[in-house]
Amino acid sequence: MCLRELAQLKHLGMKYFKSFEYWIEMLLLLLSLPYLCLLPTEILDQATAKQLGSCIIFIAWIDLTFLIGRLPSIGIYIHMFFEVVRNLAVFFLAYSPVLIAFSLAFYVLLPSSKPFQYPHTSIFKVLT
């Protein structure tokens, strides 16, 4: 993997560091190497190891999606998927003040209702 990354760096130059795929791969390496080194030593407790392992698996599948996206027959669908995700992120960023306002209003108005007893649960309820 390191040889592949060095070859990409040589080929792309400074554009390599601007790539979102690069940052995903570096995050994957920065999380998985300490995880693999610390797991046998039992420094990580079981709950932390599970959470970190699940994050590493998720990031690895995103990286695999990028690799599959390089195939000509499938690449257009991967590109469409990431465009939809980008549009959803912009949507939630734009409407997050309104969603938070509704959830806090319900938190204040309906404190006896179970979903609105706490601010974070009211945010999740409004989002659903």
Side-chain angles (χ1 to χ4, degrees), residues 19-25 59-71 75 78 82 86:
S19 165
F20 183 66
E21 187 176 350
Y22 161 77
W23 291 106
I24 292 292
E25 289 173 353
I59 294 168
W61 277 96
I62 290 175
D63 189 37
L64 179 66
T65 304
F66 279 123
L67 290 174
I68 291 172
R70 292 181 183 172
L71 297 173
I78 301 296
F82 281 115
R86 185 177 297 131

Side-chain angles (χ1 to χ4, degrees), residues 63-110:
D63 189 37
L64 179 66
T65 304
F66 279 123
L67 290 174
I68 291 172
R70 292 181 183 172
L71 297 173
S73 61
I74 302 174
I76 187 69
Y77 299 111
I78 301 296
H79 179 72
M80 286 190 308
F81 171 74
F82 281 115
E83 284 298 317
V84 168
V85 169
R86 185 177 297 131
N87 287 335
L88 281 173
V90 169
F91 169 80
F92 279 117
L93 186 65
Y95 289 103
S96 61
V98 174
L99 296 171
I100 292 171
F102 270 108
S103 62
L104 292 177
F106 288 135
Y107 167 70
V108 170
L109 290 173
L110 304 168

Side-chain angles (χ1 to χ4, degrees), residues 20-41:
F20 183 66
E21 187 176 350
Y22 161 77
W23 291 106
I24 292 292
E25 289 173 353
M26 288 302 113
L27 181 63
L28 182 62
L29 285 174
L30 289 174
L31 288 177
S32 61
L33 288 176
Y35 177 78
L36 292 173
C37 293
L38 293 177
L39 193 61
T41 63

